[in-house]
Structures are given as C-alpha cells and as structure tokens.
C-alpha cells in the first residue's frame, strides 16, 4: 500500500474509533443520568426505584435520629414539599432555608436520599465551592 | 476613595479602547509609533488597574464599611491576612483581580517582545486589550466593586468561615494567573493567524507564559483538591463538580498544547492542532471563569439570576466563532511540512497524546454540561454523577500514563525494534514485576488500580533510566562526580529533564489517586464517649468531648467549637491521638435570639487528619447540639426580656455560653463521626509537588552559553520563512 493510501486508511480508522467512542459516551450519559425534579414535580409523578435529583429549600424543623436526618424539601418558589430521609453526616452549610441538591429514590410516601449525594449551596451569591457530604 | 476607584476603572476602559484602536491602526498602516502607543496603553491599563486594586485592598485592610464590598465580606473580627485576601472572595473583587493579572502579564509579554514578533504583536495587543475592555466594562457597568454603603454600618458581615484557610485564599490568584497567562498565547495565536506568520516564532515567544499558565493553573487545581480534602467535612479531594471541571478542562488542552508544539518546532507538523488547541484553551479559560460565577449549572432556571450570564456567553461565542473562522481561512498556511512516517514514532505518540487529552476534555465537558444538553434534547434536565465520569476518565488516564513513559524515549520518524528494545525493555519489565508482585499481594481485586500501579512503575523506571544514562554520559565527558553531573545535566537541558520530572510526578500522583480511591475504608457511626468503631485495620475510640469558646484577635467571640478527642489503635497498639471539632460561627441576622444566633450562623468542620506515607486517617464530627436547644431557647427569652447595659450583656452572654459549653462537655449526647482510612493520599500531594518542581525547572531560563544546537535543516527553514515586509 503506498504511503498516502495508508494515511487515508489510518485517518478513517481513527475517525471511526472516535465516532464510536463518542457514541458510547453519549448513549451511556443518557442512560446513566438522573433527572432533576422539584418537590412539586415529584409529588405529581414519580416512579418507584428511579433516582431523581431533587432541588429545593430545606424547610424549618428537621429532626435527627441516630445518623439519619429527616427533613422536608420545599419548592424554591412555591408550596409543594416532600419528606426526605438521609443517612449520614450533613454538609457544613446545611441549614433551614438553604438550597440543597440531593439524589433521592421513592420509598412509600417519602424519599430516601442516596448516601453522599447531598449538596448544600453556599449562601453567598458568588459561591467559592458547593459543599458535599 | 470610592470615586477614585470608579474613576480608575472608567479610565481603564477608555485606555483599553484607545489601545485597541492605536494597535490596529499602527498594524494596518505600518506606522510603528502607533503600535508603540498601543503597547504603552497596556502599561497604563496595568498601572491604573493596580491603583484601583490598591484602593480596594486599603479599604479592606482598614475595615472601611463605607464600601459595600467590605461590609459584606469582612468584619473587624476578621484577622488581617483574611481581610487582605477577602478582596477576591467577592464577585466584583475577583473580577478586578482577574483584570489586574491580565494587564500585568500583557504588559510583561509586550515588554519582552517589544523588538520581536513585530507583525504579530499589534494584533495580540488588540486581543489582550479586548479582554480588558470586556472585564472593565463588566466592572464599570454591571458589578462595581466601589459601591457605597450608606449609611456605613459599624460592623461587617465577616468572611465566610469556609474560606478561612490559607489554601482557599491562594487558590483564586493561582487559578486566575493560570487563566490570564493562557490569554497570552491565545492572543499571539490570533495575531499569527491574522498575519499568516504561522511558523514556530509565536510559539517560542510565548512559551514561558504558556508554561507559567500550566504551572499556576495546575497549582490552583491541586490546592482546591487539597482544601476540599482537609477542610471540608466529606473527606474527598475530587467530586467532578462543575466548578472543579471548569478549571481542569483548559489545563488538559493546555497540556496537550505544550506537548504538541514540540512536534511543530522539530518537524513542522501538527500546525492545525497547535492553533486549535491554544484557541480552545483560551475559550475554556474564559468558560471556566464564567462557569464559577454564573450559576447556570445548578439549575437551568437560575440562568438569569446572575447578570453576567449573557455578556460572558456573548464573549465566548465571539471567541469560538472568531477562532473557527480564522483557522478555516488560514488552513492552507497551516499545512504540515512533513507527513507521518510510521505509527511507531514520537510524532505518532504525541498525536495520540493530543487525542487522549482532548478526549478527556470532551468527556468532562459533556458530563459537566449534560444538564443543559439533555434539557435541550429531551426537554428534561438530567445530570450524570461521578461514576459516569470515572468510567471514561480512568481508561483515558491509564493511556496517558502509558504514553508519558513511551513518548520521551521513542525515536522520531520511525522507531525500530532495537530502538524500542533499548529504551523500553527494562522499564516495561519493571512495570510487569510491580504488577505481578502487587497482584500476588491482593491488589488484583481492583484491576484498574493495579494497572495504574504497573504503568506508574513503568514511567518511573523509564525516567530513572534516562537520568542514569544522561549522568553516565556527562561523567564520561567531564569526569564530574555523579551529583554534580546530575545538576549540570539538568541545567543544560532544562526542558527535557524538567519534563521528565513532571512525568514522574504525574505518575506518582496517579498512583496515589488509584490507591486512595480503590482501597479506601469508610464508615459513619454514632458514638458515645468510650465507644469504639472499626475502620479497615484500625480501631477508633471516642475518648472524650471538647467544647470551647474561641476568641478573635480583638477579644470578641469568633466561634464556639464542639468536638471530640479520639484515639486510634491498630492491633492494640496506639497509632495516634486525634482531635476533630465543628466550629460554630455567630450569625449577624437581626431576627435571631441573642444566644441562638451563636448556633445559627455558619458551621465549619475542623477535620482530624493523621497523614502518613502509607495511609491517611481522616475524621470529622457532627455533634448533636439539639440537646442544648431547650437551654438555648430559655436563654434567648431571658436575655430578650432583661434590661442590661452593653457591658453587663456581654458579661452575662459570656457566662451563659460558657455554661452551655460546659454542660455539653460534662454530659455529651452521642455524636456522628465520619471515619475514613485512605491509602497513599500523601503520594498525591507529593506527586503534584514533584510535577510542579519539574515545571519550574522547565520554566527556568537556561544558563547563558548553553543554547540548543540549531540543525542545518532548521536554519534553512528559517531562511525560507523570513518574509521581507513590503
């Protein structure tokens, strides 16, 4: 095979590999992702066993039993709220009225938070870092 | 002073606009005095921005609460170091710092190239000043740091306690230095494309800045990871958080660029790659700056929440479109001088290196922006988590380490079997031996980590082999003793040996990451004093609680610490005594009760960390102050009702708080502990240090008289490419 044909073949092979990998990437990202939901959206429809990314504000009055915290997450601007139970230490900025993001799964009437997925947003407008547990 | 500050920024904006006009006019008409005037405009911008910055710093240092920014980010109880660095903890102050650094580096490069790169420099000046115009305009019209607070309050809100750590204060200047230094090769690439001067001159002229950018951005990223590990209460160093990813992406393409340019300098190949990589790095640097402060990735609904979203997006789109147009229209000037001869060659390995780094950047980009992408495609906003990122970045990282061992030693153009054997056999054997030994010791349960250990050993062996051969050759020539030969060797070949050291450091870093993420033991437990928990091979006992009031330098209460003393043992032998606390900072919110406000402000974890060569023991505590609530509420009522003078109030408050801390210490409720045993975390930081040391060596100018040899072929090429201006 002369060099220039060899180069064309190499280029086509490389491009095909790149396209295949990109395709695999795109496909797995859609199947491995969890949808973002607000509390009202979760209240209206939620599939059992599916993981959702819940965002909202922590309602006042949460309780702790052992290592588990029981709190309610309210819509950022609205009335809907859902109960969440989360096992594990809370991030340092966790407070009533703060915005949180937590991956939850429905269990009965309430939701169970996935371990390590609770993120509390820093209160200042310019956030230096979001804080995970 | 506020007015002086505002005036400085307006002056910066006007001078930058003038500088752009002067540079472009001078470039088009060939009149050098206008180009020089444009250059001087850059110096003026730097000086004026520095003045504005000094005004702001002075206000912070003297706690001038007439400045809104000082009121919202500092207080009289903030220690001096944090008052000085609080300037850039705010949106406005950080943008001003960005502008300052940009103008300083721009002044430096233009000063250093004032007699060279004459055709490119005016356009580069215009691009750099273009960035200055953007940031100055944002500072003047949208987010001014010189907002007046009237009436000026007596006390400020204080610096967010999470930021009260030296790393967190050095981290932004390091990152911004990285971003702004990348603007320099970006600007010169644009100038080179416009003027079609696409030989390696613009690359060589800006190389120190590219290296420095790589260095500072890398340091900033590692500092952020270290801060996350040792200061935050979760015990990890990397979360694939959008903010982390935003800083990593330009670093990856910048690394690719630094490698790829070697191929252009030596063989005139990969020209399109090089301009594309540096332009992409510039775009990603601005994207990184924007992502951190826009809030668009928390929730798409917050896009409009920040006023900066639209202007930054406009800048990024302009940069992307402009870059694509420039590269496409200059494609004929970017043709390679040579073609790839063989897949087994240094050119090929470097090309593969480019592909792997760009692939990694693409994966991170896709995962970071997935919420926006999925909403655009499916209408549902969805996000991917760390497992998805790991799935793709781990194989790519393995490939990267492998290539970093092969690249420096494989022959140019076409590697023969004997060349490969001579350079790679012993290191490959070393890697295989390490792999086999560790597999026998049980590491085969984590194949990716095992493979990384083997590849890391391969790279370290390859680097050692090169050092050994170089020292031996030098000794044969000069008869020096080995240490002196080593020093002389490195001095005369800083780029090469600095680079080897960087590769070695990166291998050590990846070994540390592989070990600490794959073989970690973690536990969350509720413990009463006296109880013990087992983590991995260690037993951790909650010995006793601690509760203290901590005063600020000016005598007022800074925070209340509730924590624990722990004892760590292994097989009955004491390993360490550790302390971990949670600090509660008072809130200034007026609606809170006088006692409860001490428990409703920010809380930070003081992590207990026992670092070691083989493993780290990490602990954090979440004390249960719920049991104190009844007494706190009672105290609130008593204090609100009582009629006291300020001194009496302070005195009684002190007593009440001391009583609370004592009651916690005497009868503590069970506390939740997070305990982690992570192998080889220290290797991550050491690997990073070695890599950055290598970067410094590569950056350092060579001693006079030790210039690199110019080959005849290269000299002929220079003769061909020099154009006489019409």
């Amino acid at each position: 095979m002369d060099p220039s044909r060899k180069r064309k073949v190499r280029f086509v092979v490389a491009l095909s590999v790149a396209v295949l990998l990109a395709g695999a990437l795109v496909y797995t990202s859609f199947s491995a992702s969890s949808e973002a939901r607000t509390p009202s959206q979760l209240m209206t429809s939620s599939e059992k066993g599916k993981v959702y990314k819940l965002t909202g504000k922590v309602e006042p009055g949460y309780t702790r039993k052992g290592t588990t915290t029981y709190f309610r997450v309210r819509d950022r601007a609205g009335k809907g709220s859902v109960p969440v139970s989360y096992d594990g230490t809370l991030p340092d900025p966790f407070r009533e009225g703060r915005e949180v993001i937590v991956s939850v799964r429905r269990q009965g009437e309430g939701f169970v938070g996935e371990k390590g997925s609770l993120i509390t947003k820093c209160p200042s407008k310019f956030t230096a870092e979001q804080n995970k547990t | 002073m506020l007015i002086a500050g505002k005036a400085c920024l307006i002056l910066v904006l006007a001078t930058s606009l003038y500088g752009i006009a002067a540079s472009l006019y001078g470039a088009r008409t060939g009149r050098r005095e206008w180009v020089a005037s444009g250059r001087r405009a850059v110096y003026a911008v730097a000086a004026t921005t520095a003045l504005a910055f000094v005004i702001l710093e002075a206000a912070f240092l003297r706690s001038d609460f007439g400045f809104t920014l000082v009121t919202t980010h500092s207080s009289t109880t903030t220690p001096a170091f944090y008052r000085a660095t609080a300037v850039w903890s705010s949106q406005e102050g950080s943008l001003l710092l960005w502008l300052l650094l940009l103008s300083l580096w721009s002044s430096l490069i233009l000063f250093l190239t004032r007699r060279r790169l004459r055709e490119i420099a005016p356009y580069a000046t215009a691009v750099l000043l273009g960035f200055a115009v953007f940031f100055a305009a944002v500072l003047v019209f949208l987010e001014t740091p010189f907002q007046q607070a009237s009436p000026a309050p007596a006390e400020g809100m204080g610096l967010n306690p999470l930021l009260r750590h030296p790393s967190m204060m050095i981290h932004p200047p390091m990152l911004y230095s990285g971003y702004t230094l990348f603007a320099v090769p970006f600007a010169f690439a644009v100038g080179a494309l416009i003027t079609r001067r696409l030989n390696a001159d613009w690359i060589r002229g800006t190389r120190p800045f590219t290296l420095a950018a790589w260095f500072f951005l890398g340091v900033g990223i590692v500092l952020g990871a270290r801060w996350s590990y040792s200061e935050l209460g979760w015990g990890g160093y990397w979360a694939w958080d959008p903010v982390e990813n935003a800083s990593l992406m330009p670093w990856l393409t910048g690394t690719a660029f630094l490698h790829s340019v070697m191929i252009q300098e030596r063989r005139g190949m990969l020209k399109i790659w090089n301009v594309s990589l540096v332009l992409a790095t510039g775009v990603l640097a601005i994207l990184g700056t924007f992502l951190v402060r826009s809030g668009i990735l928390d929730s798409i609904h917050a896009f409009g929440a920040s006023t900066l979203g639209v202007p930054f997006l406009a800048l990024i789109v302009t940069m992307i479109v402009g870059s694509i147009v420039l590269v496409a229209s200059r494609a004929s000037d970017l043709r390679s001088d040579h073609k790839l001869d063989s897949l087994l060659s240094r050119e090929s390995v470097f090309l593969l290196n480019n592909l792997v780094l760009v692939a990694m950047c693409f994966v991170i980009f896709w995962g970071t922006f997935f919420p926006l992408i999925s909403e655009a495609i499916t209408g549902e906003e969805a996000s991917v988590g760390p497992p998805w990122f790991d799935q793709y970045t781990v194989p790519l990282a393995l490939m990267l380490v492998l290539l970093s061992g092969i690249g420096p030693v494989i022959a140019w153009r076409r590697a023969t079997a004997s060349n490969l054997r001579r350079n790679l056999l012993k290191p490959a054997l070393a890697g295989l031996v390490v792999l086999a030994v560790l597999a026998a010791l049980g590491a085969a349960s984590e194949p990716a980590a095992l493979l990384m250990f083997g590849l890391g050993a391969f790279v370290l062996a390859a680097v050692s082999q090169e050092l050994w051969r170089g020292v031996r050759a030098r000794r044969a020539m000069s008869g020096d003793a080995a240490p002196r030969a080593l020093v002389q060797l490195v001095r005369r070949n800083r780029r090469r040996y600095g680079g080897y050291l960087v590769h070695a450091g990166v291998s050590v870093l990846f070994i540390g990451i592989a070990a600490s993420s794959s073989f970690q033991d973690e536990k969350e437990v509720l413990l009463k004093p006296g109880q013990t928990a087992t983590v991995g091979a260690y037993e951790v006992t909650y010995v006793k609680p601690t509760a203290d009031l901590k005063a600020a330098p000016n005598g007022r209460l800074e925070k209340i610490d509730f924590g624990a003393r722990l004892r760590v043992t292994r097989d009955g032998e004491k390993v360490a005594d550790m302390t971990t606390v949670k600090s509660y900072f008072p809130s200034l919110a007026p609606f809170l009760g006088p006692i409860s406000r001490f428990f409703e402000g920010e809380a930070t974890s003081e992590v207990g960390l026992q670092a070691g060569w083989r493993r780290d023991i990490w602990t954090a505590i979440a004390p249960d102050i719920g049991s104190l609530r009844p007494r706190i509420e009672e105290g609130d009522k008593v204090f609100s009702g009582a009629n006291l003078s300020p001194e009496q109030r302070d005195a009684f408050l002190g007593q009440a708080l001391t009583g609370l801390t004592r009651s916690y210490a005497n009868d503590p409720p069970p506390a939740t502990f997070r305990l982690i045993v992570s192998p080889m975390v220290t290797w991550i930081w050491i690997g990073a240090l070695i890599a950055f040391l290598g970067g410094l060596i590569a950056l350092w100018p060579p001693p006079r008289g030790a210039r690199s040899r110019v080959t005849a072929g290269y000299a002929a090429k220079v003769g061909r490419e020099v154009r006489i201006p019409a």
Side-chain angles (χ1 to χ4, degrees):
Chain A
M1 220 191 283
D2 73 303
S4 110
R5 176 114 194 271
K6 231 198 252 183
R7 285 187 198 107
K8 283 206 186 72
V9 168
R10 272 187 215 144
F11 183 72
V12 167
V13 168
L15 197 60
S16 317
V17 168
V19 166
L20 277 170
L21 286 175
L25 191 102
V26 169
Y27 178 75
T28 54
S29 58
F30 279 100
S31 56
S33 59
S34 53
E35 286 166 14
R37 286 286 154 90
T38 60
S40 335
Q41 287 173 327
L42 271 184
M43 274 161 60
T44 41
S45 74
S46 59
E47 281 168 41
K48 209 166 160 176
K50 194 166 164 190
V51 177
Y52 295 98
K53 206 171 94 149
L54 174 64
T55 53
K57 288 200 174 164
V58 178
E59 271 194 357
Y62 60 87
T63 54
R64 297 210 67 173
K65 223 179 269 175
T67 54
T68 312
T69 315
Y70 300 90
F71 59 98
R72 292 189 76 91
V73 179
R74 202 192 75 228
D75 280 336
R76 200 183 271 149
K79 293 276 184 48
S81 80
V82 292
V84 175
S85 73
Y86 183 80
D87 185 29
T89 47
L90 302 170
D92 289 335
F94 186 86
R95 285 244 180 308
E96 298 164 351
R98 291 266 165 90
E99 277 201 44
V100 292
I101 305 170
V102 56
S103 296
V104 295
R105 215 185 277 271
R106 202 180 80 190
Q107 202 176 70
E109 286 305 315
F111 294 87
V112 175
E114 307 246 298
K115 210 157 187 263
S117 71
L118 178 60
I119 301 175
T120 309
K121 293 212 252 169
C122 279
S124 61
K125 186 169 79 160
F126 174 57
T127 60
E129 177 88 28
Q130 287 188 354
N131 289 284
K132 277 178 79 90
T133 34
Chain B
M1 273 288 106
L2 279 163
I3 308 211
K6 279 194 205 155
C8 281
L9 290 177
I10 296 178
L11 204 57
V12 164
L13 182 58
T15 315
S16 304
L17 286 165
Y18 165 76
I20 295 177
S23 300
L24 290 175
Y25 180 70
R28 299 312 290 250
T29 57
R31 298 175 64 177
R32 291 237 210 105
E33 60 275 18
W34 284 98
V35 171
S37 180
R39 192 171 56 239
R40 272 180 242 121
V42 176
Y43 302 156
V45 163
T48 319
T49 312
L51 185 59
F53 191 79
V54 164
I55 292 175
L56 192 58
E57 269 290 1
F60 266 90
L61 285 170
R62 64 170 188 271
S63 292
D64 182 346
F65 297 121
F67 283 65
T68 309
L69 216 59
V70 180
T71 309
T72 48
H73 291 87
S74 183
S75 65
T76 53
T77 57
T78 310
F81 174 74
Y82 294 112
R83 255 183 286 142
T85 53
V87 170
W88 52 79
S89 71
S90 65
Q91 169 92 287
E92 303 85 339
S94 67
L95 288 170
L96 184 58
L97 178 65
W98 211 103
L99 182 61
L100 175 66
L101 290 168
L102 176 74
S103 58
L104 284 174
W105 309 133
S106 305
S107 302
L108 188 60
I109 183 69
L110 290 175
F111 179 76
L112 289 172
T113 58
R114 65 194 183 284
R115 284 190 245 284
R116 298 185 283 132
L117 297 172
R118 283 193 197 279
E119 286 77 25
I120 301 178
Y123 292 101
T125 309
V127 171
L128 291 168
L129 283 174
F131 286 124
V133 164
F134 178 85
F135 279 85
V138 166
L139 284 164
V140 168
F141 298 116
L142 291 175
E143 303 266 356
T144 175
F146 299 108
Q147 181 93 291
Q148 183 165 33
S150 93
E155 177 63 280
M157 285 168 36
L159 181 64
N160 187 332
L162 270 169
L163 302 176
R164 282 186 215 201
H165 188 257
S167 298
M168 251 305 111
M169 287 293 114
I170 307 173
H171 168 75
M174 291 284 123
L175 284 181
Y176 298 160
S177 294
Y179 291 148
T180 50
L181 281 161
F182 272 130
V184 167
F186 176 88
F188 276 80
V190 170
L193 283 165
I194 292 178
T195 57
R196 296 179 188 267
R197 291 202 170 314
L198 291 161
N199 55 24
D201 282 344
W202 68 270
I203 295 175
R204 227 166 297 127
T206 55
R207 196 198 341 276
F209 288 78
T210 314
L211 259 172
W214 177 91
F215 178 85
F216 283 116
L217 188 55
V219 169
I221 293 172
V222 172
L223 275 177
R226 168 100 191 137
W227 172 78
S228 171
Y229 177 70
S230 58
E231 289 305 307
L232 295 186
W234 72 292
Y237 43 80
W238 195 262
W240 294 116
D241 185 85
V243 158
E244 293 170 329
N245 300 342
S247 59
L248 185 58
M249 286 190 280
W251 191 85
L252 290 172
T253 54
T255 304
F257 175 68
L258 272 173
H259 286 86
S260 189
V261 293
M262 294 185 216
I263 304 295
Q264 180 169 344
E265 283 173 58
R266 191 67 175 258
R267 301 213 65 222
M269 294 161 69
L270 298 184
K271 290 185 191 176
I272 299 192
W273 268 104
N274 292 336
V275 288
S276 306
L277 282 170
V278 72
L279 292 174
T281 307
V283 169
L284 287 167
I286 299 287
L287 187 63
T289 308
F290 155 59
L291 217 58
V292 174
R293 59 193 75 237
S294 69
I296 64 165
L297 284 174
D298 300 330
S299 156
I300 193 151
H301 308 290
F303 194 101
S306 166
T307 50
L308 296 184
V310 173
F312 261 106
L313 199 59
L315 176 64
I316 289 170
V317 168
T318 310
M319 286 170 78
I320 294 177
V321 169
S323 303
I324 295 178
V325 164
L326 267 178
V327 174
S329 62
R330 266 69 175 161
S332 52
D333 296 287
L334 290 167
R335 263 199 260 277
S336 285
D337 296 348
H338 301 279
K339 299 260 179 242
L340 197 66
D341 289 316
S342 160
L343 280 180
L344 279 174
S345 62
R346 194 172 298 192
E347 296 92 322
S348 172
V349 170
F350 273 61
L351 178 58
L352 203 51
N353 181 58
N354 277 1
L355 289 168
V356 169
L357 283 166
V358 167
M360 217 189 258
C361 186
F362 179 72
V363 166
I364 297 175
F365 184 89
W366 183 266
T368 307
F369 285 94
F370 193 68
L372 298 176
I373 296 172
S374 67
E375 179 146 17
I377 296 182
T378 65
E380 288 280 5
E381 185 197 323
S383 59
V384 289
W388 183 89
F389 282 98
D390 289 339
Q391 192 181 1
Y392 291 97
T393 53
V394 166
L396 288 170
L398 287 167
M399 284 185 70
L400 210 58
V401 173
L402 175 66
L403 291 173
S404 73
I406 300 177
V409 297
I410 194 172
W412 292 92
R413 297 194 66 173
R414 193 184 297 272
T416 56
S418 74
N419 161 259
L420 290 172
R421 191 172 47 238
R422 183 176 176 269
N423 288 313
L424 296 175
L425 183 63
K426 290 207 192 94
L429 282 175
L432 283 169
V433 164
V434 166
L435 203 76
V437 167
L438 289 175
L441 289 173
S445 55
E446 299 284 340
L450 182 64
L451 197 52
M452 186 58 90
F453 296 145
L455 287 171
F458 163 69
V459 173
L460 289 169
V463 167
S464 310
Q465 183 179 263
E466 282 302 295
L467 280 172
W468 166 251
R469 285 186 183 162
V471 166
R472 198 177 55 189
R474 252 215 96 69
R475 292 191 67 192
M477 279 202 310
S478 65
D480 284 333
R484 186 178 158 77
L486 181 64
V487 169
Q488 289 293 57
L489 181 72
V490 172
R491 264 188 87 212
R492 287 170 184 283
N493 294 284
R494 283 171 208 264
R495 257 182 96 187
R496 161 176 292 205
Y497 289 97
Y500 286 165
L501 206 58
V502 172
H503 288 173
V506 167
S507 291
V508 171
L509 180 126
F510 273 118
I511 290 174
I513 293 179
S516 58
S517 48
S518 303
F519 296 102
Q520 194 184 72
D521 285 306
E522 186 215 307
K523 198 169 250 182
E524 293 216 15
V525 285
L526 198 65
L527 291 177
K528 286 205 277 270
Q531 285 187 321
T532 305
T534 315
V535 195
Y538 298 88
E539 289 91 39
V540 181
T541 310
Y542 178 4
V543 176
K544 64 180 178 116
T546 65
D548 300 291
L549 301 175
K550 288 275 155 73
N554 68 354
R556 304 189 51 182
L557 181 68
E558 190 191 2
K559 55 183 179 167
I560 306 178
D561 287 348
F562 287 109
R565 264 212 238 296
L566 300 163
R567 171 156 294 191
V568 182
T569 57
R570 187 190 171 131
D571 300 327
E573 298 261 325
K574 181 179 114 166
V575 170
D577 281 326
M578 295 166 68
T579 312
T580 173
V581 300
K582 195 147 175 167
S583 301
Y584 294 85
F585 290 82
S587 164
L588 285 166
F591 53 81
L592 291 171
I595 304 250
S596 57
R597 76 181 183 94
F598 285 97
F599 298 94
E600 293 300 320
E602 293 306 319
T604 63
S605 290
E606 295 298 320
V607 160
L609 183 59
Q610 181 74 16
W613 289 108
R614 288 171 49 199
R615 84 296 165 277
D616 276 18
I617 304 175
W618 185 101
T619 64
I621 182 174
D624 180 9
I625 51 173
S627 59
L628 297 172
R629 290 236 173 266
R631 293 190 54 175
I632 293 175
E633 275 160 32
E634 204 190 299
D636 277 347
K637 283 197 207 105
V638 167
F639 269 92
S640 315
N643 205 338
L644 297 165
S645 72
E647 297 85 34
Q648 285 177 315
R649 198 185 179 82
D650 277 347
F652 285 127
L653 262 175
Q655 278 184 8
L657 290 172
T658 313
L660 274 172
T661 53
R662 247 187 239 129
S663 84
Y664 178 87
N666 290 335
D667 183 26
T672 312
F673 289 89
R674 194 177 164 87
L675 306 164
I676 306 178
V677 175
S678 264
M680 296 169 79
V681 177
T682 312
W683 289 47
I684 302 177
W685 318 124
I686 304 234
L689 273 172
I690 296 174
F692 293 131
L693 182 65
L696 273 177
I697 291 176
L699 244 180
W700 218 259
R704 237 178 267 169
R707 296 187 199 287
S708 28
R709 282 175 295 121
V710 175
T711 61
Y714 173 75
K717 188 151 70 85
V718 166
R720 267 204 310 276
E721 278 178 329
V722 166
R723 277 173 229 218
I724 320 289

